[in-house]
Amino acid sequence: MTDSTRTDNPAERLGQVWRNPPGLGALSVVSHSSLGLRFMVTGAFFFLVGGLLAMLIRTQLALPAQTILSAEVYNQFFTMHGTVMMFLFAIPTLEGMAIYLIPKMIGARDLVFPRITSLGYYCYLFGGLIILSSLFLGIAPDSGWFMYTPLSSQQFSPGPGSDFWLVGITFVEISAMAAGIELTVSILRARAPGMSLRHMPLFAWYILATALMIVFGFPPLILASILLELERAAGMPFFDVAGGGDPILWQHLFWLFGHPEVYIIFLPAAGIVSTLIPVFARRPLVGYRWVVLSIITTGFISFGLWVHHMFTVGIPQLAQAFFSMASMVVAVPTAIQTFAWLATLWTGRVTWNLPMLWILGFLIVFVAGGLTGVMLALVPFNWQVHDTHFVVAHLHYVLVGGMFFPLIAGLYYWLPHLSGRMPSERLGKPGFWLTFIGFNATFLLMHLTGLLGMPRRVYTYEAGVGWDWLNLLSSVGSFIMAAGIALIILDVALHFRFGRKAPRNPWQADTLEWATDTPAAPYNFISLPDVQTRHPLWDHPDLPESMAAGKHGLAQANHGRRETYGSDAITGRIRDVIHLPGNSWLPLFASLCLAVVCISLLVRLYPVALLGVLGAAVFLLRWGWENGAHPKAAPVCADEPSQPPLHSRTCDGPGRWGMVVTLLANGTLYLCLLFGWFYLWTASPHWSAPQVSPVSLTVMVLAGLLLTGVVATYYRIVHRLTAGDDAGLGPRLWGLTALGAAHWVVLLYATLSAPLAVTEQSHDAMLLVMLMYLLFHGLVATILTALQAWRVRLGWVNRALPYEPVVLRPFWGYTLGIYWLSVVVFLLVPLTWGGAA
Amino acid sequence: MFLVAVIVMIGVFGLWIHAMNRAGDDEDDARAERLQNRWIIGGGLVLPLTSMAALLAFGIPAGHSMLPLPPEDGVALDIEVTAHQWHWDVYYPEQGIRLHNELHIPANTPVDIYVTSSDVIHSFWVPRLAGKIDAIPGHTSVLRLEADEPGDYRGQCAEFCGRGHAHMQFRVSAHSKTDFETWQREASRND
Amino acid sequence: MMRGDHPIHLVTGLTLWFAWFLAIYATLSVGCAVAPPPVATGALTWINAAIVLMTVAMVLLLGTLALRCWRGAPQAEEGPRPSRFLARVSAAAYLVAAIAALVVGLPTMALPPCT
């Protein structure tokens, strides 16, 4: 990896190694700064799409009995408004911000899986465009953004609309999962030397919690989407009453995701507030530990609220009380943060400026929304206003107040970092006021509209019921708000040309991202410093200079590798040097193949979908191949660092952490499958299960024994490898590959020979999903083991390079665990308890 | 609820704006930390927990009283409602009366509406008489209604159910006891 | 039990809370589906008893863990490991989980299970 163009100037050398190619090559860029910006710009584009849809909705509702939009078109518009805003604007924009800021704030050069960042972006872009295309083709989803069944099922939505949502959103969710996994591992394992957990900037705590919430919160929706798409395309009746399914199962799975989703949206925005307030109050945030506690509490409690979206479904009162109480408890950590912010402002010396104006707006709008939220948590009140415009008002208060306002505050705050220029207050202030006034004009009295009985999602309403002037006012307000947003866009656009040049750290902030150049170089910092304080730039004002002078760690790149420090998750001490991949086309190609899969599923051309899957698999496996000691990654060379070593020479590194976090997400999906099984068994109105399961227990046990043999042996092999013994490693891994293949064939036989009536009974459909899940894992694990055996032959895996088999080990363990758990839950338990209702 | 919310809002917003304009403190660390903890514990813990306790003390009994539990005296009138895309079928099981998009009930009498759907999820809602209950295929849920006065009450579907959702209204007519008996006799005879 | 300053304690309390939450909801739902007690018994049913028992057990467990974590915290931070920070915040997280369990479980004392 040495380059003939050696130079003594570290900045130049780093610049070469971290170079972002221009032109078409930009499609292969993996730098977090570029990708973070792309996420945010694409998010802004979708925001405008969602906003346009909102304007059309408000135009239609301005007067009673209008027919500007027909019912069919209106239903597509409000469904797409919600879908675009939630999935294509809110999450990706915040993700993009986190991707851009986190490495800089924690003193790293990039996130730990740069190609995954890129894959995430492309999946978001292509998925978003596919979903958007449905709008232009007039076949957009039209069952509401939460897609309740049976309305969204094949029978009542026979067109492709629902499929666009189910397939398209799942495609986009790859990007959320990617970000969730990558940010978790990066924040835990790639911090600056010495940055212990208690020295992490609060923004990192917020994003860590958000990332973990994504890891646990998105899988329920992914499973639900897969099940509903299987129902629509293959007739498997998970949610259809006649076939033993239950529409309420969809609601449970959706809201298990849906409620954490809104906190996933809120927490990063609260993180922005917690970052800006200390800077503008010129003192550290009051109650760092209280805020950390609040972040953790919010993250967990938000998973216990989901039924509060289902209070009118007919669930027992006591169960509703559990969720009602939890929904009130969740307001406490938010109140704690609010008063921490207040106390900081109170004891600080605050400057009024544009970001602080937006934060004041956030406070007003979000607290109002939070208070109506507490009202909604009260069940009897909920029974009146559920599904009315009161809820529409509430949700916009908390989402616009809780996410959009802090986002704009953050935008103005970090604009100098992006562009090197200061924003102006001249256009910005009227922009704020128009947006703030317009927003409140639209949504404040909408609470009353709901209280007066106007339901949600109606394309028109009769005159004279009492809703006329309220709707007109809301519609006028929406145009004022649109004007405000137009001003903000104009302001931001103009500042790139006319904004005055920003000095370094123009706001005199305390966090590390301000130590980079503006705009930041792709490698962020020339050298990586020790950080043992929460406020590095306040406590060490000369740090940016000394970093730029190369006085700290990893200040040279003559070896040609992209490197950042790998840290201990708790203390921040250096453990290894993480070598990162450079630019790559593989994420783009893999994503294009996935787009082919997506589109062919939509037009129901399944052979083409299969080709797409194979293509994606090839590119993803190639991607995994170019790791470790591969010539394109970090081939073994004579002058390798040893104190600390490169991460791929150790037994622990980001990949292992990434595997574990991915398995947490995977496990959540599996647990949701188990939940679905037990739910349908106990609660579904027409559940029916045969006396004897169609799946042969004997064959399953046989396959399971084979699997157990493989995994036990694999664990032994890796144990020996990490102790330094790689004798016979290659042949042994080939042997395991063969045994794994045998397991797979037996499992396949069990699946194909079982007389499953998957279109008639949800019982059988569930069994098939379970079997496919097990088949998938067995196949992937076996293929990856084969690749490891091959890499042993090539000399890239041995006792000096033990890392990769260690990374694969948890995957085998997981495969074994779900295998036997499935045998117990799906075959043994029904035997003993009688599966019939 | 509204009043408490407004008071809390004005309090918080007022404190925030005042805090922004304030000159700021130069306190030593220990005293500052005590002061700050007072803010966090007072505002972040005490305020929300007491407000919520008050809210629930009112709310839980209120909710309980709305449940379709057996009435203290007498028997509730049972009516079965089946929601369709996009109309309501009403059936009085005891009297054998069938109606379309309308209900007739006696005033000052508890009425139990057994709600289900024949197709997608709808929601049965008469805003002036009760909360709403979802009409879900495969399930039957019960809503307790009671009109305090005779009159006509507007009802509407309150769960998005497709193209005709906005036009799925119905009417509930509450009659005095004698008027209801008259109506009931006429309606049974006509069936 | 691991030493009180292990970071897993930051999340164990609330994870236990979530597991308890699912357990009481499942007990209620499955109990009402397979063996609903008569309406007349009000809140004095086996389902309520089971939930109250689980709640009390969980509150006591979490409270104990909170106390042990808090007491195990060193007087001041020594060295690179943020022991005091971890132990204190973890103790608080256990306490929060205990309170959340208590608050959420409270209605079980008064409300009938299946109506």
Side-chain angles (χ1 to χ4, degrees):
Chain A
M1 283 298 274
T2 51
D3 197 309
S4 54
T5 54
R6 272 180 183 274
T7 163
D8 281 335
N9 182 336
E12 235 175 86
R13 186 61 179 136
L14 282 166
Q16 281 165 359
V17 171
W18 288 82
R19 186 173 160 268
N20 287 336
L24 212 57
L27 295 173
S28 69
V29 154
V30 295
S31 146
H32 73 284
S33 298
S34 310
L35 292 173
L37 282 174
R38 281 182 207 175
F39 265 102
M40 290 192 275
V41 170
T42 311
F45 163 71
F46 281 114
F47 174 74
L48 293 178
V49 171
L52 191 62
L53 290 169
M55 300 310 298
L56 290 164
I57 290 170
R58 279 314 327 163
T59 307
Q60 164 68 9
L61 289 180
L63 296 171
Q66 291 207 108
T67 48
I68 302 173
L69 303 175
S70 67
E72 286 91 347
V73 170
Y74 184 89
N75 294 346
Q76 290 183 33
F77 279 13
F78 80 74
T79 302
M80 286 298 282
H81 169 72
T83 304
V84 166
M85 286 303 201
M86 294 297 275
F87 291 108
L88 302 180
F89 159 64
I91 299 267
T93 307
L94 292 170
E95 254 171 53
M97 210 186 51
I99 288 170
Y100 180 88
L101 286 173
I102 284 290
K104 301 176 178 66
M105 276 194 185
I106 61 176
R109 288 224 169 98
D110 205 328
L111 295 171
V112 291
F113 306 127
R115 291 173 297 182
I116 288 188
T117 321
S118 177
L119 178 76
Y121 176 70
Y122 284 125
C123 288
Y124 162 51
L125 178 68
F126 297 148
L129 289 175
I130 289 173
I131 295 172
L132 196 59
S133 71
S134 72
L135 199 54
F136 291 107
L137 297 170
I139 44 177
D142 61 359
S143 317
W145 89 274
F146 26 97
M147 293 278 290
Y148 276 3
T149 60
L151 182 62
S152 58
S153 301
Q154 187 68 26
Q155 184 185 359
F156 299 102
S157 289
S162 295
D163 301 312
F164 270 95
W165 196 99
L166 294 167
V167 175
I169 293 295
T170 307
F171 192 18
V172 171
E173 275 157 18
I174 294 176
S175 96
M177 296 306 303
I181 295 166
E182 189 179 18
L183 286 165
T184 301
V185 179
S186 303
I187 291 173
L188 289 176
R189 286 287 271 107
R191 300 200 299 271
M195 187 185 276
S196 77
L197 282 176
R198 78 181 182 101
H199 294 137
M200 262 183 7
L202 274 172
F203 190 71
W205 277 106
Y206 278 97
I207 298 298
L208 179 61
T210 305
L212 284 167
M213 287 174 73
I214 292 177
V215 166
F216 291 106
F218 272 71
L221 179 61
I222 296 176
L223 178 69
S225 304
I226 292 174
L227 295 181
L228 183 54
E229 186 56 34
L230 282 173
E231 180 175 291
R232 287 177 58 87
M236 296 165 73
F238 301 105
F239 311 109
D240 173 37
V241 173
D246 193 349
I248 299 182
L249 176 61
W250 170 269
Q251 296 192 24
H252 278 295
L253 288 174
F254 183 85
W255 290 116
L256 266 169
F257 147 79
H259 197 83
E261 151 90 338
V262 305
Y263 286 90
I264 289 169
I265 291 175
F266 171 62
L267 279 183
I272 297 176
V273 178
S274 290
T275 305
L276 268 57
I277 283 187
V279 172
F280 293 120
R282 282 175 260 192
R283 56 146 301 141
L285 191 74
V286 166
Y288 180 94
R289 287 182 294 180
W290 282 101
V291 174
V292 171
L293 180 66
S294 297
I295 294 169
I296 299 173
T297 305
T298 305
F300 275 91
I301 307 266
S302 70
F303 278 85
L305 308 188
W306 82 90
V307 172
H308 76 208
H309 300 271
M310 299 162 62
F311 277 156
T312 58
V313 162
I315 285 172
Q317 185 195 20
L318 180 57
Q320 293 181 349
F322 294 154
F323 289 92
S324 176
M325 304 300 275
S327 303
M328 296 197 191
V329 166
V330 83
V332 175
T334 308
I336 291 178
Q337 287 170 74
T338 307
F339 280 88
W341 296 325
L342 240 166
T344 311
L345 292 173
W346 189 273
T347 50
R349 286 169 296 134
V350 187
T351 38
W352 279 95
N353 53 30
L354 203 47
M356 283 310 284
L357 198 55
W358 280 98
I359 291 192
L360 177 63
F362 146 76
L363 175 84
I364 294 175
V365 177
F366 181 72
V367 168
L371 288 167
T372 56
V374 173
M375 293 182 201
L376 280 163
L378 200 63
V379 176
F381 182 71
N382 190 286
W383 285 341
Q384 264 300 336
V385 296
H386 169 74
D387 242 312
T388 68
H389 272 69
F390 186 94
V391 177
V392 177
H394 159 73
L395 74 89
H396 283 90
Y397 265 81
V398 286
L399 284 174
V400 175
M403 184 263 174
F404 184 76
F405 276 67
L407 182 72
I408 304 300
L411 175 66
Y412 277 113
Y413 177 74
W414 277 298
L415 216 45
H417 195 278
L418 290 175
S419 66
R421 293 176 183 270
M422 299 300 287
S424 97
E425 308 238 325
R426 205 160 334 133
L427 268 182
K429 275 214 175 105
F432 167 78
W433 284 110
L434 275 177
T435 309
F436 182 77
I437 291 170
F439 173 81
N440 283 292
T442 313
F443 292 106
L444 183 59
L445 285 176
M446 199 184 278
H447 293 97
L448 184 59
T449 317
L451 287 169
L452 290 176
M454 182 174 178
R456 284 175 83 161
R457 304 168 154 190
V458 287
Y459 81 101
T460 191
Y461 52 95
E462 312 131 43
V465 188
W467 306 331
D468 302 15
W469 67 274
L470 287 165
N471 272 290
L472 184 59
L473 176 67
S474 285
S475 295
V476 170
S478 70
F479 277 86
I480 298 175
M481 187 177 167
I485 291 177
L487 264 183
I488 298 169
I489 297 172
L490 192 64
D491 184 26
V492 171
L494 286 179
H495 110 285
F496 280 104
R497 195 54 160 52
F498 299 110
R500 72 180 162 83
K501 281 245 170 353
R504 189 190 270 285
N505 199 357
W507 310 113
Q508 281 153 7
D510 54 328
T511 41
L512 268 181
E513 79 273 22
W514 294 102
T516 65
D517 289 329
T518 51
Y523 50 82
N524 286 346
F525 315 108
I526 290 183
S527 58
L528 304 178
D530 254 51
V531 177
Q532 296 190 32
T533 154
R534 288 175 192 160
H535 315 282
L537 296 195
W538 282 349
D539 292 348
H540 307 286
D542 57 344
L543 199 55
E545 240 181 83
S546 61
M547 285 164 70
K551 297 224 170 84
H552 304 276
L554 292 185
Q556 56 89 8
N558 283 326
H559 40 67
R561 287 186 298 263
R562 295 189 176 193
E563 292 183 340
T564 193
Y565 278 129
S567 62
D568 178 86
I570 305 171
T571 62
R573 264 204 293 238
I574 305 178
R575 288 176 65 154
D576 41 41
V577 170
I578 301 173
H579 58 87
L580 298 166
N583 302 316
S584 170
W585 290 92
L586 294 170
L588 174 62
F589 295 152
S591 193
L592 282 170
C593 287
L594 290 174
V596 167
V597 174
C598 198
I599 296 173
S600 42
L601 286 177
L602 286 173
V603 297
R604 306 212 172 159
L605 273 175
Y606 297 112
V608 180
L610 195 57
L611 281 176
V613 169
L614 289 172
V618 164
F619 287 117
L620 291 170
L621 288 174
R622 175 74 203 169
W623 166 337
W625 191 253
E626 290 179 11
N627 269 338
H630 186 284
K632 273 192 149 176
V636 178
C637 54
D639 57 345
E640 263 184 31
S642 56
Q643 299 286 4
L646 292 178
H647 79 275
S648 58
R649 311 336 186 197
T650 70
C651 292
D652 185 22
R656 181 162 162 260
W657 287 66
M659 172 63 81
V660 171
V661 177
T662 306
L663 290 175
L664 288 175
N666 197 357
T668 307
L669 185 120
Y670 179 70
L671 287 176
C672 288
L673 186 66
L674 296 188
F675 162 66
W677 170 253
F678 284 119
Y679 179 85
L680 289 180
W681 181 351
T682 51
S684 165
H686 296 304
W687 169 268
S688 123
Q691 283 285 44
V692 177
S693 176
V695 177
S696 162
L697 184 60
T698 322
V699 180
M700 290 295 286
V701 169
L702 175 60
L705 290 173
L706 286 168
L707 180 63
T708 309
V710 173
V711 180
T713 313
Y714 188 89
Y715 269 68
R716 248 203 333 269
I717 291 177
V718 173
H719 181 74
R720 253 190 259 152
L721 181 64
T722 55
D725 173 12
D726 62 3
L729 181 62
R732 289 206 172 94
L733 286 175
W734 284 118
L736 286 184
T737 306
L739 203 57
H743 150 79
W744 198 79
V745 167
V746 177
L747 181 58
L748 187 65
Y749 173 74
T751 307
L752 294 177
S753 65
L756 294 166
V758 296
T759 57
E760 289 162 43
Q761 262 309 316
S762 63
H763 170 276
D764 287 17
M766 276 283 178
L767 286 177
L768 183 62
V769 172
M770 176 269 291
L771 289 166
M772 310 242 46
Y773 187 75
L774 296 180
L775 282 167
F776 173 79
H777 282 82
L779 183 66
V780 171
T782 305
I783 290 177
L784 293 179
T785 305
L787 292 175
Q788 284 299 297
W790 189 0
R791 288 169 80 86
V792 171
R793 164 116 46 102
L794 294 169
W796 298 336
V797 174
N798 50 50
R799 67 171 183 261
L801 298 163
Y803 181 54
E804 292 170 21
V806 173
V807 174
L808 186 53
R809 181 176 51 183
F811 191 84
W812 271 119
Y814 179 81
T815 305
L816 186 66
I818 53 164
Y819 190 88
W820 287 116
L821 192 52
S822 301
V823 169
V824 168
V825 167
F826 288 91
L827 299 177
L828 288 177
V829 171
L831 256 183
T832 48
W833 274 23
Chain B
M1 273 195 316
F2 178 65
L3 196 62
V4 171
V6 169
I7 294 173
V8 169
M9 275 197 287
I10 293 179
V12 172
F13 303 160
L15 281 171
W16 188 280
I17 293 177
H18 180 63
M20 295 223 8
N21 290 323
R22 215 168 156 271
D25 297 338
D26 294 308
E27 318 244 344
D28 71 85
D29 284 337
R31 186 169 138 70
E33 190 169 326
R34 272 202 307 277
L35 219 74
Q36 292 153 8
N37 283 344
R38 225 177 286 162
W39 274 104
I40 292 181
I41 296 177
L45 283 179
V46 174
L47 173 65
L49 288 173
T50 41
S51 317
M52 285 168 211
L55 199 60
L56 289 162
F58 158 74
I60 291 190
H64 191 74
S65 70
M66 294 163 73
L67 289 179
L69 298 166
E72 270 164 18
D73 38 41
V75 170
L77 170 65
D78 290 343
I79 305 179
E80 291 170 12
V81 172
T82 304
H84 302 263
Q85 280 179 321
W86 292 280
H87 63 272
W88 303 89
D89 277 348
V90 180
Y91 177 62
Y92 292 69
E94 214 183 286
Q95 300 85 344
I97 301 172
R98 286 186 191 279
L99 300 172
H100 179 84
N101 286 342
E102 59 179 319
L103 283 81
H104 291 262
I105 61 173
N108 293 301
T109 312
V111 177
D112 283 345
I113 318 273
Y114 289 78
V115 181
T116 187
S117 168
S118 68
D119 42 41
V120 303
I121 299 180
H122 304 265
S123 193
F124 180 91
W125 189 33
V126 188
R128 287 171 57 203
L129 293 185
K132 56 181 69 70
I133 195 104
D134 286 355
I136 303 175
H139 297 262
T140 302
S141 307
V142 191
L143 179 71
R144 168 66 56 84
L145 272 185
E146 185 165 336
D148 292 333
E149 283 178 20
D152 277 348
Y153 300 91
R154 185 176 173 280
Q156 63 193 9
C157 177
E159 178 62 59
F160 179 64
C161 53
R163 187 165 36 94
H165 171 61
H167 300 298
M168 210 169 138
Q169 285 88 24
F170 60 96
R171 191 184 72 234
V172 176
S173 302
H175 308 275
S176 66
K177 206 158 187 306
T178 34
D179 285 347
F180 179 74
E181 274 161 25
T182 314
W183 170 84
Q184 198 179 283
R185 256 189 321 238
E186 301 254 334
S188 320
R189 208 180 308 140
N190 289 340
D191 261 348
Chain C
M1 178 173 130
M2 295 181 177
R3 35 188 295 193
D5 65 350
H6 194 288
I8 198 76
H9 289 299
L10 288 174
V11 295
T12 308
L14 285 160
T15 306
L16 287 171
W17 174 86
F18 188 64
W20 162 85
F21 187 85
L22 291 179
I24 64 167
Y25 184 36
T27 304
L28 177 59
S29 304
V30 178
C32 287
V34 305
V39 180
T41 47
L44 299 170
T45 72
W46 70 269
I47 298 180
N48 294 64
I51 294 174
V52 168
L53 227 73
M54 287 192 274
T55 307
V56 169
M58 185 52 70
V59 173
L60 288 175
L61 173 64
L62 292 168
T64 313
L65 290 169
L67 213 59
R68 286 177 69 172
C69 242
W70 185 269
R71 292 221 178 107
Q75 284 289 56
E77 299 286 6
E78 313 137 347
R81 193 183 175 89
S83 300
R84 185 174 161 83
F85 171 79
L86 288 172
R88 285 280 152 112
V89 179
S90 301
Y94 278 118
L95 183 62
V96 163
I99 296 174
L102 188 61
V103 166
V104 170
L106 216 51
T108 319
M109 315 262 287
L111 294 177
C114 303
T115 47

